Amino acid sequence: SQTIHQWPATLVQPVGSPLSLECTVEGTSNPNLYWYRQAAGRGLQLLFYSVGIGQISSEVPQNLSASRPQDRQFILSSKKLLLSDSGFYLCAWSSHRGYNEQYFGPGTRLTVT
Amino acid sequence: QQPVQSPQAVILREGEDAVINCSSSKALYSVHWYRQKHGEAPVFLMILLKGGEQKGHDKISASFNEKKQQSSLYLTASQLSYSGTYFCGTGGYSGGSNYKLTFGKGTLLTVNP
């Protein structure tokens, strides 16, 4: 069966510091991968998605970037965090063979102080 | 285009029924339903692909109207475990691909004893 991991689970970072969040998927190959952000009590905002290694599509222009160095690894980064970057970051995967049913990781709760 | 969910929130007593709606001004390729419990990641419930389709499991079911512009999620004889925020996600084509979901703002369902 497939599993998706995210780390860290929680993170408190000062404004202006860098960020690196990691997501890995097990039990499947060549998944579609997604990064979402959810502000407190709000909906799901798609940040980036990737259909293959090195292929990244950005949905919202901002100070975040994403990379996919390996087939089942997806990384979200920032060089300098803003207060508005606080939120719940969710990684998700879907299969190329399905209808894009997405399965979410446990999430990283980021607080920028 | 973000689908519109209604109601924004609903409070039930255990055993009562609820309907959550998800609508779009354009025909949709697919509708996905997710449930997110407080502090956790969204969990995939079901997907509807065809106009007029109805499907479900246990006491949670969903329909997709003939024009594929509206979907409804039905929760029957609600249980305490049904509490959470329900999101619909609508699939469509973007540049020839079908990789993205656009989520509604969510419906907060609270089931009280």
Side-chain angles (χ1 to χ4, degrees):
Chain A
S1 63
Q2 300 86 10
T3 55
I4 178 168
H5 304 278
Q6 284 186 247
W7 62 88
T10 59
L11 192 60
V12 179
Q13 292 282 95
V15 169
S17 64
L19 173 74
S20 181
L21 303 181
E22 189 165 342
C23 169
T24 58
V25 181
E26 296 177 355
T28 188
S29 59
N30 195 28
N32 299 318
L33 295 172
Y34 306 85
W35 279 113
Y36 290 89
R37 178 170 62 200
Q38 188 174 35
R42 305 291 293 276
L44 297 161
Q45 179 187 32
L46 179 63
L47 302 175
F48 301 93
Y49 70 95
S50 171
V51 301
I53 296 174
Q55 300 179 60
I56 308 294
S57 296
S58 174
E59 289 297 298
V60 181
Q62 57 208 332
N63 69 322
L64 298 172
S65 62
S67 61
R68 185 172 177 172
Q70 300 181 43
D71 181 45
R72 290 169 288 178
Q73 183 185 31
F74 205 23
I75 297 172
L76 183 70
S77 303
S78 174
K79 292 182 179 177
K80 288 185 178 181
L81 284 169
L82 307 172
L83 284 174
S84 58
D85 290 325
S86 293
F88 191 38
Y89 287 81
L90 292 155
C91 181
W93 74 274
S94 70
S95 170
H96 281 281
R97 291 186 293 273
Y99 292 97
N100 198 20
E101 302 94 309
Q102 296 187 13
Y103 300 93
F104 288 82
T108 295
R109 195 162 301 280
L110 172 67
T111 304
V112 182
T113 60
Chain B
Q1 185 180 13
Q2 186 177 38
V4 178
Q5 279 189 244
S6 63
Q8 291 184 340
V10 58
I11 300 174
L12 302 173
R13 287 189 179 269
E14 221 173 347
E16 292 181 337
D17 302 340
V19 180
I20 299 171
N21 298 305
C22 176
S23 64
S24 171
S25 59
K26 297 181 179 181
L28 301 168
Y29 178 77
S30 62
V31 173
H32 304 226
W33 285 99
Y34 293 78
R35 176 172 62 205
Q36 184 178 28
K37 292 185 178 288
H38 183 69
E40 300 180 6
V43 173
F44 173 75
L45 294 176
M46 67 186 80
I47 179 176
L48 297 105
L49 296 167
K50 301 176 183 177
E53 182 177 7
Q54 295 189 42
K55 71 189 317 182
H57 48 82
D58 200 7
K59 295 177 182 176
I60 300 176
S61 61
S63 65
F64 202 7
N65 75 345
E66 289 289 346
K67 290 187 176 180
K68 300 182 71 174
Q69 288 181 272
Q70 177 161 326
S71 177
S72 296
L73 184 71
Y74 307 94
L75 299 109
T76 306
S78 59
Q79 306 169 14
L80 295 176
S81 62
Y82 288 0
S83 292
T85 301
Y86 289 79
F87 292 98
C88 68
T90 55
Y93 281 90
S94 173
S97 66
N98 177 33
Y99 304 119
K100 298 193 303 180
L101 292 178
T102 303
F103 286 93
K105 292 184 178 180
T107 297
L108 177 61
L109 178 75
T110 304
V111 181
N112 292 321

